[in-house]
Amino acid sequence: MARLIYSVIASLDGYSADATGDFQWAAPDEEVHLAINEEMAQVGTYLHGRRMYETMAVWETDPSFAQGSPAATAFVPLWQEAQKIVYSTTLEDIWTSRTRLERRFGPAAVRELKATSDKDLTVDGPTLAAHALRQGLVDELHLILHPVVIGGGLAALPAGLHLDLHLTYQRRFTAGAVQLHYDIRRHSA
């Protein structure tokens, strides 16, 4: 059975974008990007909302985007070869390969994907991840915390959520970012 992983880059105060929607402060350097590539090599399906899909589609639609570094170049086939499911009620169409559009995020369908997938899945973007977290679908949190405080914006984790976490991996990067992996502990009722 595949795992559903919520992978997010966040500020130390817990935001994935600032109050204006900017996330340039979170752009991974080469060392961090290589670590992200290592994680993404284990992923077979990305679950995206509309905004995350529009952000990530450049990995297929703009060849110059990936020419900035060896890590960026290496990420291109990881993203392009994975399946993508985009959940949106407003998106008219999709424009990347191996991508399908779903109008509704259905927990039963995600559970079925987890049960039938050979490789792990990620839910990307805090808005869609909030739905998956609240439904108890997420098995692991993979956080990269940047050494910056931005004071507000789009929270990486939804308010009011309670999770019991078990740290399974930690890594400190040269520029001060920290990578943390947590299993979400499930308690039987």
Side-chain angles (χ1 to χ4, degrees), residues 44-165:
T45 305
Y46 299 122
L47 309 181
H48 290 319
R50 179 189 53 83
R51 283 179 287 179
M52 182 59 72
Y53 174 67
E54 290 172 343
T55 299
M56 296 300 291
V58 297
W59 292 102
E60 185 170 331
T61 61
D62 184 356
S64 67
F65 190 79
Q67 296 174 355
S69 74
T73 301
F75 182 74
V76 170
L78 296 174
W79 195 82
Q80 289 182 3
E81 293 169 10
Q83 296 292 325
K84 278 85 60 187
I85 303 173
V86 181
Y87 299 93
S88 175
T89 58
T90 60
L91 196 62
E92 299 275 329
D93 199 9
I94 47 105
W95 51 91
T96 56
S97 61
R98 303 174 64 87
T99 307
R100 79 174 192 252
L101 179 61
E102 295 285 340
R103 296 295 178 199
R104 186 177 150 290
F105 181 80
V110 174
R111 284 186 191 94
E112 178 67 21
L113 272 173
K114 287 172 55 174
T116 60
S117 294
D118 293 334
K119 294 181 86 175
D120 289 335
L121 302 90
T122 63
V123 57
D124 301 303
T127 304
L128 185 61
H131 295 297
L133 286 161
R134 287 187 179 114
Q135 293 292 324
L137 298 169
V138 177
D139 302 295
E140 296 182 21
L141 294 178
H142 290 190
L143 305 166
I144 295 179
L145 300 177
H146 273 267
V148 62
V149 173
I150 60 173
L154 180 60
L157 294 167
L161 181 69
H162 176 81
L163 298 173
D164 187 11
L165 304 174

Side-chain angles (χ1 to χ4, degrees), residues 2-35:
R3 300 167 298 165
L4 180 59
I5 300 165
Y6 174 35
S7 182
V8 63
I9 298 174
S11 63
L12 285 181
D13 54 346
Y15 297 98
S16 64
D18 70 18
T20 67
D22 181 48
F23 53 89
Q24 291 303 312
W25 53 267
D29 63 16
E30 190 73 0
E31 183 183 22
V32 170
H33 207 282
L34 287 169

